[in-house]
Amino acid sequence: IEEMAAYKANFFHWHLTDDQSWRLFVRSRPKLVKSSQGTSPESYSEEDVQQVLSFAREHFVTVVPVIETPGHILAALAAYPELACKGQHFEVPKQRVGTYTDILCVGKAASFEFAKDVFTDVARLFP
């Protein structure tokens, strides 16, 4: 963030999720970070987020959280397989290899509830 500020790059797009890991603790969906512990044993707590936001503000950098959806969501499907369009068992990939076709099924009511829960919590953390 300090280097960004030095170059007047004032927006930090913080990628908190992808196929390999869900790195942000979401209060309404705690299983998300647990599903990624094999590939990414640490995650960001709400306190961590507040510290990053405070540090960024001191350097005039705006933090934009990035939550991948409906694709790049294998880490979430490993925790909540019922949200997929097809398939019942998902594993978090240990490395970035190939293309994954599993996505969040936007045609399911449960997926809308999931999105509402996640984005409500993320919006609360990133005012």
Side-chain angles (χ1 to χ4, degrees):
I1 290 176
E2 288 176 325
E3 291 293 319
M4 291 177 65
Y7 288 99
K8 302 203 184 310
N10 56 358
F11 283 90
F12 169 42
H13 291 185
W14 194 2
H15 287 256
L16 296 163
T17 68
D18 59 25
D19 284 317
Q20 292 76 24
S21 182
W22 191 285
R23 294 175 194 87
L24 176 66
F25 176 77
V26 176
R27 189 181 299 179
S28 62
R29 300 287 180 148
K31 289 183 354 184
L32 288 169
V33 293
K34 291 179 184 172
S35 73
S36 301
Q37 287 179 335
T39 59
S40 184
E42 297 184 28
S43 61
Y44 297 108
S45 68
E46 293 180 354
E47 294 79 25
D48 294 332
V49 169
Q50 293 311 311
Q51 287 177 356
V52 169
L53 293 177
S54 177
F55 187 77
R57 262 190 307 276
E58 291 172 8
H59 293 84
F60 304 99
V61 172
T62 300
V63 179
V64 179
V66 178
I67 305 294
E68 300 280 356
T69 184
H72 303 282
I73 199 154
L74 273 175
L77 294 180
Y80 299 98
E82 67 276 9
L83 301 177
C85 292
K86 56 185 175 181
Q88 298 175 353
H89 177 75
F90 300 92
E91 292 185 22
V92 178
K94 297 198 182 329
Q95 56 188 344
R96 292 180 182 217
V97 177
T99 303
Y100 307 106
T101 58
D102 302 303
I103 62 170
L104 183 72
C105 191
V106 297
K108 291 183 174 181
S111 293
F112 283 102
E113 288 302 312
F114 172 82
K116 183 179 89 176
D117 291 347
V118 168
F119 291 123
T120 296
D121 283 353
V122 170
R124 182 181 47 77
L125 290 171
F126 294 87

PDB file of all heavy atoms in Angstrom, residues 28-56:
ATOM      1  N   SER A  28     -21.459 -14.707   8.444  1.00  0.00           N
ATOM      2  CA  SER A  28     -22.673 -15.485   8.155  1.00  0.00           C
ATOM      3  C   SER A  28     -22.372 -16.830   7.494  1.00  0.00           C
ATOM      4  O   SER A  28     -23.252 -17.686   7.426  1.00  0.00           O
ATOM      5  CB  SER A  28     -23.612 -14.674   7.263  1.00  0.00           C
ATOM      6  OG  SER A  28     -22.972 -14.402   6.030  1.00  0.00           O
ATOM      7  N   ARG A  29     -21.155 -17.028   7.008  1.00  0.00           N
ATOM      8  CA  ARG A  29     -20.773 -18.269   6.316  1.00  0.00           C
ATOM      9  C   ARG A  29     -19.374 -18.710   6.765  1.00  0.00           C
ATOM     10  O   ARG A  29     -18.423 -18.743   5.987  1.00  0.00           O
ATOM     11  CB  ARG A  29     -20.793 -18.068   4.794  1.00  0.00           C
ATOM     12  CG  ARG A  29     -22.135 -17.662   4.219  1.00  0.00           C
ATOM     13  CD  ARG A  29     -23.096 -18.828   4.227  1.00  0.00           C
ATOM     14  NE  ARG A  29     -24.385 -18.447   3.666  1.00  0.00           N
ATOM     15  CZ  ARG A  29     -25.164 -19.259   2.999  1.00  0.00           C
ATOM     16  NH1 ARG A  29     -24.792 -20.515   2.796  1.00  0.00           N
ATOM     17  NH2 ARG A  29     -26.333 -18.857   2.539  1.00  0.00           N
ATOM     18  N   PRO A  30     -19.227 -19.117   8.032  1.00  0.00           N
ATOM     19  CA  PRO A  30     -17.896 -19.450   8.550  1.00  0.00           C
ATOM     20  C   PRO A  30     -17.243 -20.669   7.897  1.00  0.00           C
ATOM     21  O   PRO A  30     -16.020 -20.809   7.935  1.00  0.00           O
ATOM     22  CB  PRO A  30     -18.136 -19.690  10.041  1.00  0.00           C
ATOM     23  CG  PRO A  30     -19.591 -19.994  10.152  1.00  0.00           C
ATOM     24  CD  PRO A  30     -20.265 -19.240   9.042  1.00  0.00           C
ATOM     25  N   LYS A  31     -18.030 -21.540   7.270  1.00  0.00           N
ATOM     26  CA  LYS A  31     -17.442 -22.716   6.620  1.00  0.00           C
ATOM     27  C   LYS A  31     -16.572 -22.346   5.427  1.00  0.00           C
ATOM     28  O   LYS A  31     -15.749 -23.152   4.981  1.00  0.00           O
ATOM     29  CB  LYS A  31     -18.547 -23.689   6.156  1.00  0.00           C
ATOM     30  CG  LYS A  31     -19.224 -24.401   7.292  1.00  0.00           C
ATOM     31  CD  LYS A  31     -20.275 -25.434   6.930  1.00  0.00           C
ATOM     32  CE  LYS A  31     -20.687 -25.622   5.531  1.00  0.00           C
ATOM     33  NZ  LYS A  31     -21.772 -26.596   5.341  1.00  0.00           N
ATOM     34  N   LEU A  32     -16.706 -21.148   4.896  1.00  0.00           N
ATOM     35  CA  LEU A  32     -15.932 -20.748   3.718  1.00  0.00           C
ATOM     36  C   LEU A  32     -14.431 -20.819   3.964  1.00  0.00           C
ATOM     37  O   LEU A  32     -13.697 -21.382   3.165  1.00  0.00           O
ATOM     38  CB  LEU A  32     -16.333 -19.343   3.259  1.00  0.00           C
ATOM     39  CG  LEU A  32     -17.707 -19.248   2.615  1.00  0.00           C
ATOM     40  CD1 LEU A  32     -18.118 -17.794   2.457  1.00  0.00           C
ATOM     41  CD2 LEU A  32     -17.733 -19.975   1.293  1.00  0.00           C
ATOM     42  N   VAL A  33     -13.957 -20.255   5.050  1.00  0.00           N
ATOM     43  CA  VAL A  33     -12.518 -20.277   5.311  1.00  0.00           C
ATOM     44  C   VAL A  33     -12.057 -21.666   5.732  1.00  0.00           C
ATOM     45  O   VAL A  33     -10.924 -22.051   5.462  1.00  0.00           O
ATOM     46  CB  VAL A  33     -12.077 -19.212   6.342  1.00  0.00           C
ATOM     47  CG1 VAL A  33     -12.251 -17.824   5.780  1.00  0.00           C
ATOM     48  CG2 VAL A  33     -12.793 -19.368   7.650  1.00  0.00           C
ATOM     49  N   LYS A  34     -12.925 -22.432   6.358  1.00  0.00           N
ATOM     50  CA  LYS A  34     -12.549 -23.789   6.771  1.00  0.00           C
ATOM     51  C   LYS A  34     -12.300 -24.688   5.575  1.00  0.00           C
ATOM     52  O   LYS A  34     -11.435 -25.559   5.614  1.00  0.00           O
ATOM     53  CB  LYS A  34     -13.633 -24.378   7.676  1.00  0.00           C
ATOM     54  CG  LYS A  34     -13.707 -23.702   9.022  1.00  0.00           C
ATOM     55  CD  LYS A  34     -14.803 -24.277   9.879  1.00  0.00           C
ATOM     56  CE  LYS A  34     -14.879 -23.496  11.180  1.00  0.00           C
ATOM     57  NZ  LYS A  34     -16.022 -23.864  11.977  1.00  0.00           N
ATOM     58  N   SER A  35     -13.028 -24.477   4.490  1.00  0.00           N
ATOM     59  CA  SER A  35     -12.864 -25.328   3.307  1.00  0.00           C
ATOM     60  C   SER A  35     -11.513 -25.120   2.643  1.00  0.00           C
ATOM     61  O   SER A  35     -11.047 -25.975   1.896  1.00  0.00           O
ATOM     62  CB  SER A  35     -13.983 -25.066   2.296  1.00  0.00           C
ATOM     63  OG  SER A  35     -13.793 -23.814   1.662  1.00  0.00           O
ATOM     64  N   SER A  36     -10.864 -24.000   2.919  1.00  0.00           N
ATOM     65  CA  SER A  36      -9.600 -23.655   2.270  1.00  0.00           C
ATOM     66  C   SER A  36      -8.380 -23.916   3.142  1.00  0.00           C
ATOM     67  O   SER A  36      -7.270 -23.634   2.733  1.00  0.00           O
ATOM     68  CB  SER A  36      -9.613 -22.181   1.879  1.00  0.00           C
ATOM     69  OG  SER A  36     -10.677 -21.903   1.018  1.00  0.00           O
ATOM     70  N   GLN A  37      -8.564 -24.443   4.329  1.00  0.00           N
ATOM     71  CA  GLN A  37      -7.441 -24.579   5.253  1.00  0.00           C
ATOM     72  C   GLN A  37      -6.334 -25.486   4.737  1.00  0.00           C
ATOM     73  O   GLN A  37      -5.182 -25.324   5.116  1.00  0.00           O
ATOM     74  CB  GLN A  37      -7.930 -25.036   6.620  1.00  0.00           C
ATOM     75  CG  GLN A  37      -8.653 -23.921   7.346  1.00  0.00           C
ATOM     76  CD  GLN A  37      -9.172 -24.337   8.697  1.00  0.00           C
ATOM     77  OE1 GLN A  37      -9.413 -25.514   8.953  1.00  0.00           O
ATOM     78  NE2 GLN A  37      -9.373 -23.375   9.567  1.00  0.00           N
ATOM     79  N   GLY A  38      -6.654 -26.406   3.843  1.00  0.00           N
ATOM     80  CA  GLY A  38      -5.625 -27.274   3.291  1.00  0.00           C
ATOM     81  C   GLY A  38      -4.703 -26.564   2.315  1.00  0.00           C
ATOM     82  O   GLY A  38      -3.540 -26.921   2.166  1.00  0.00           O
ATOM     83  N   THR A  39      -5.204 -25.537   1.650  1.00  0.00           N
ATOM     84  CA  THR A  39      -4.400 -24.818   0.664  1.00  0.00           C
ATOM     85  C   THR A  39      -3.968 -23.437   1.151  1.00  0.00           C
ATOM     86  O   THR A  39      -2.981 -22.904   0.689  1.00  0.00           O
ATOM     87  CB  THR A  39      -5.181 -24.635  -0.656  1.00  0.00           C
ATOM     88  OG1 THR A  39      -6.383 -23.917  -0.387  1.00  0.00           O
ATOM     89  CG2 THR A  39      -5.492 -25.963  -1.291  1.00  0.00           C
ATOM     90  N   SER A  40      -4.739 -22.880   2.044  1.00  0.00           N
ATOM     91  CA  SER A  40      -4.435 -21.549   2.570  1.00  0.00           C
ATOM     92  C   SER A  40      -4.857 -21.532   4.040  1.00  0.00           C
ATOM     93  O   SER A  40      -5.978 -21.147   4.369  1.00  0.00           O
ATOM     94  CB  SER A  40      -5.206 -20.496   1.769  1.00  0.00           C
ATOM     95  OG  SER A  40      -4.865 -19.207   2.193  1.00  0.00           O
ATOM     96  N   PRO A  41      -3.951 -21.975   4.925  1.00  0.00           N
ATOM     97  CA  PRO A  41      -4.342 -22.169   6.325  1.00  0.00           C
ATOM     98  C   PRO A  41      -4.710 -20.893   7.071  1.00  0.00           C
ATOM     99  O   PRO A  41      -5.331 -20.948   8.109  1.00  0.00           O
ATOM    100  CB  PRO A  41      -3.125 -22.835   6.960  1.00  0.00           C
ATOM    101  CG  PRO A  41      -1.997 -22.577   6.038  1.00  0.00           C
ATOM    102  CD  PRO A  41      -2.569 -22.342   4.681  1.00  0.00           C
ATOM    103  N   GLU A  42      -4.349 -19.758   6.527  1.00  0.00           N
ATOM    104  CA  GLU A  42      -4.679 -18.511   7.199  1.00  0.00           C
ATOM    105  C   GLU A  42      -5.711 -17.740   6.396  1.00  0.00           C
ATOM    106  O   GLU A  42      -5.801 -17.870   5.186  1.00  0.00           O
ATOM    107  CB  GLU A  42      -3.416 -17.669   7.380  1.00  0.00           C
ATOM    108  CG  GLU A  42      -2.405 -18.349   8.276  1.00  0.00           C
ATOM    109  CD  GLU A  42      -1.202 -17.486   8.550  1.00  0.00           C
ATOM    110  OE1 GLU A  42      -1.337 -16.246   8.533  1.00  0.00           O
ATOM    111  OE2 GLU A  42      -0.135 -18.061   8.784  1.00  0.00           O
ATOM    112  N   SER A  43      -6.500 -16.954   7.112  1.00  0.00           N
ATOM    113  CA  SER A  43      -7.491 -16.111   6.455  1.00  0.00           C
ATOM    114  C   SER A  43      -7.507 -14.762   7.161  1.00  0.00           C
ATOM    115  O   SER A  43      -6.924 -14.607   8.234  1.00  0.00           O
ATOM    116  CB  SER A  43      -8.874 -16.766   6.511  1.00  0.00           C
ATOM    117  OG  SER A  43      -9.276 -16.950   7.864  1.00  0.00           O
ATOM    118  N   TYR A  44      -8.160 -13.806   6.538  1.00  0.00           N
ATOM    119  CA  TYR A  44      -8.256 -12.473   7.118  1.00  0.00           C
ATOM    120  C   TYR A  44      -9.475 -12.392   8.028  1.00  0.00           C
ATOM    121  O   TYR A  44     -10.593 -12.691   7.614  1.00  0.00           O
ATOM    122  CB  TYR A  44      -8.363 -11.411   6.024  1.00  0.00           C
ATOM    123  CG  TYR A  44      -7.152 -11.355   5.137  1.00  0.00           C
ATOM    124  CD1 TYR A  44      -7.203 -11.822   3.829  1.00  0.00           C
ATOM    125  CD2 TYR A  44      -5.940 -10.840   5.605  1.00  0.00           C
ATOM    126  CE1 TYR A  44      -6.090 -11.776   3.007  1.00  0.00           C
ATOM    127  CE2 TYR A  44      -4.819 -10.789   4.788  1.00  0.00           C
ATOM    128  CZ  TYR A  44      -4.900 -11.261   3.495  1.00  0.00           C
ATOM    129  OH  TYR A  44      -3.806 -11.216   2.689  1.00  0.00           O
ATOM    130  N   SER A  45      -9.248 -11.962   9.247  1.00  0.00           N
ATOM    131  CA  SER A  45     -10.341 -11.759  10.192  1.00  0.00           C
ATOM    132  C   SER A  45     -10.939 -10.372   9.970  1.00  0.00           C
ATOM    133  O   SER A  45     -10.390  -9.549   9.220  1.00  0.00           O
ATOM    134  CB  SER A  45      -9.816 -11.856  11.633  1.00  0.00           C
ATOM    135  OG  SER A  45      -8.967 -10.749  11.913  1.00  0.00           O
ATOM    136  N   GLU A  46     -12.039 -10.103  10.647  1.00  0.00           N
ATOM    137  CA  GLU A  46     -12.642  -8.779  10.561  1.00  0.00           C
ATOM    138  C   GLU A  46     -11.665  -7.722  11.091  1.00  0.00           C
ATOM    139  O   GLU A  46     -11.591  -6.619  10.546  1.00  0.00           O
ATOM    140  CB  GLU A  46     -13.958  -8.751  11.329  1.00  0.00           C
ATOM    141  CG  GLU A  46     -15.030  -9.612  10.689  1.00  0.00           C
ATOM    142  CD  GLU A  46     -16.347  -9.598  11.438  1.00  0.00           C
ATOM    143  OE1 GLU A  46     -16.439  -9.013  12.539  1.00  0.00           O
ATOM    144  OE2 GLU A  46     -17.309 -10.195  10.912  1.00  0.00           O
ATOM    145  N   GLU A  47     -10.902  -8.069  12.126  1.00  0.00           N
ATOM    146  CA  GLU A  47      -9.917  -7.139  12.674  1.00  0.00           C
ATOM    147  C   GLU A  47      -8.802  -6.874  11.663  1.00  0.00           C
ATOM    148  O   GLU A  47      -8.325  -5.737  11.538  1.00  0.00           O
ATOM    149  CB  GLU A  47      -9.328  -7.692  13.977  1.00  0.00           C
ATOM    150  CG  GLU A  47     -10.332  -7.788  15.117  1.00  0.00           C
ATOM    151  CD  GLU A  47     -11.259  -9.001  15.014  1.00  0.00           C
ATOM    152  OE1 GLU A  47     -10.887 -10.022  14.368  1.00  0.00           O
ATOM    153  OE2 GLU A  47     -12.362  -8.938  15.559  1.00  0.00           O
ATOM    154  N   ASP A  48      -8.370  -7.919  10.955  1.00  0.00           N
ATOM    155  CA  ASP A  48      -7.347  -7.735   9.917  1.00  0.00           C
ATOM    156  C   ASP A  48      -7.825  -6.749   8.856  1.00  0.00           C
ATOM    157  O   ASP A  48      -7.072  -5.871   8.429  1.00  0.00           O
ATOM    158  CB  ASP A  48      -7.007  -9.066   9.238  1.00  0.00           C
ATOM    159  CG  ASP A  48      -6.345 -10.066  10.156  1.00  0.00           C
ATOM    160  OD1 ASP A  48      -5.668  -9.655  11.127  1.00  0.00           O
ATOM    161  OD2 ASP A  48      -6.506 -11.275   9.896  1.00  0.00           O
ATOM    162  N   VAL A  49      -9.062  -6.908   8.445  1.00  0.00           N
ATOM    163  CA  VAL A  49      -9.619  -6.022   7.424  1.00  0.00           C
ATOM    164  C   VAL A  49      -9.613  -4.585   7.928  1.00  0.00           C
ATOM    165  O   VAL A  49      -9.212  -3.663   7.205  1.00  0.00           O
ATOM    166  CB  VAL A  49     -11.045  -6.465   7.013  1.00  0.00           C
ATOM    167  CG1 VAL A  49     -11.725  -5.407   6.160  1.00  0.00           C
ATOM    168  CG2 VAL A  49     -11.003  -7.809   6.306  1.00  0.00           C
ATOM    169  N   GLN A  50     -10.018  -4.376   9.171  1.00  0.00           N
ATOM    170  CA  GLN A  50     -10.046  -3.018   9.721  1.00  0.00           C
ATOM    171  C   GLN A  50      -8.652  -2.415   9.766  1.00  0.00           C
ATOM    172  O   GLN A  50      -8.472  -1.220   9.479  1.00  0.00           O
ATOM    173  CB  GLN A  50     -10.686  -3.017  11.113  1.00  0.00           C
ATOM    174  CG  GLN A  50     -12.160  -3.371  11.100  1.00  0.00           C
ATOM    175  CD  GLN A  50     -12.953  -2.589  10.069  1.00  0.00           C
ATOM    176  OE1 GLN A  50     -12.855  -1.368   9.986  1.00  0.00           O
ATOM    177  NE2 GLN A  50     -13.725  -3.293   9.262  1.00  0.00           N
ATOM    178  N   GLN A  51      -7.644  -3.224  10.088  1.00  0.00           N
ATOM    179  CA  GLN A  51      -6.263  -2.721  10.115  1.00  0.00           C
ATOM    180  C   GLN A  51      -5.799  -2.326   8.711  1.00  0.00           C
ATOM    181  O   GLN A  51      -5.163  -1.284   8.532  1.00  0.00           O
ATOM    182  CB  GLN A  51      -5.329  -3.773  10.703  1.00  0.00           C
ATOM    183  CG  GLN A  51      -5.483  -3.952  12.190  1.00  0.00           C
ATOM    184  CD  GLN A  51      -4.583  -5.053  12.735  1.00  0.00           C
ATOM    185  OE1 GLN A  51      -3.887  -5.747  11.997  1.00  0.00           O
ATOM    186  NE2 GLN A  51      -4.598  -5.211  14.050  1.00  0.00           N
ATOM    187  N   VAL A  52      -6.109  -3.155   7.726  1.00  0.00           N
ATOM    188  CA  VAL A  52      -5.719  -2.833   6.351  1.00  0.00           C
ATOM    189  C   VAL A  52      -6.421  -1.566   5.880  1.00  0.00           C
ATOM    190  O   VAL A  52      -5.815  -0.684   5.271  1.00  0.00           O
ATOM    191  CB  VAL A  52      -6.006  -4.019   5.398  1.00  0.00           C
ATOM    192  CG1 VAL A  52      -5.860  -3.618   3.941  1.00  0.00           C
ATOM    193  CG2 VAL A  52      -5.099  -5.199   5.731  1.00  0.00           C
ATOM    194  N   LEU A  53      -7.724  -1.469   6.162  1.00  0.00           N
ATOM    195  CA  LEU A  53      -8.472  -0.277   5.750  1.00  0.00           C
ATOM    196  C   LEU A  53      -7.923   0.988   6.411  1.00  0.00           C
ATOM    197  O   LEU A  53      -7.795   2.030   5.760  1.00  0.00           O
ATOM    198  CB  LEU A  53      -9.954  -0.442   6.059  1.00  0.00           C
ATOM    199  CG  LEU A  53     -10.703  -1.507   5.261  1.00  0.00           C
ATOM    200  CD1 LEU A  53     -12.144  -1.608   5.727  1.00  0.00           C
ATOM    201  CD2 LEU A  53     -10.633  -1.216   3.776  1.00  0.00           C
ATOM    202  N   SER A  54      -7.588   0.895   7.672  1.00  0.00           N
ATOM    203  CA  SER A  54      -7.040   2.045   8.388  1.00  0.00           C
ATOM    204  C   SER A  54      -5.695   2.453   7.797  1.00  0.00           C
ATOM    205  O   SER A  54      -5.449   3.645   7.547  1.00  0.00           O
ATOM    206  CB  SER A  54      -6.892   1.700   9.871  1.00  0.00           C
ATOM    207  OG  SER A  54      -6.299   2.754  10.569  1.00  0.00           O
ATOM    208  N   PHE A  55      -4.828   1.489   7.558  1.00  0.00           N
ATOM    209  CA  PHE A  55      -3.518   1.760   6.967  1.00  0.00           C
ATOM    210  C   PHE A  55      -3.669   2.377   5.575  1.00  0.00           C
ATOM    211  O   PHE A  55      -2.984   3.340   5.230  1.00  0.00           O
ATOM    212  CB  PHE A  55      -2.711   0.461   6.907  1.00  0.00           C
ATOM    213  CG  PHE A  55      -1.295   0.649   6.469  1.00  0.00           C
ATOM    214  CD1 PHE A  55      -0.344   1.158   7.344  1.00  0.00           C
ATOM    215  CD2 PHE A  55      -0.905   0.304   5.193  1.00  0.00           C
ATOM    216  CE1 PHE A  55       0.973   1.328   6.943  1.00  0.00           C
ATOM    217  CE2 PHE A  55       0.413   0.466   4.777  1.00  0.00           C
ATOM    218  CZ  PHE A  55       1.356   0.985   5.656  1.00  0.00           C
ATOM    219  N   ALA A  56      -4.586   1.829   4.791  1.00  0.00           N
ATOM    220  CA  ALA A  56      -4.816   2.347   3.435  1.00  0.00           C
ATOM    221  C   ALA A  56      -5.333   3.784   3.480  1.00  0.00           C
ATOM    222  O   ALA A  56      -4.900   4.630   2.689  1.00  0.00           O
ATOM    223  CB  ALA A  56      -5.798   1.438   2.695  1.00  0.00           C
TER     224      ALA A  56
END
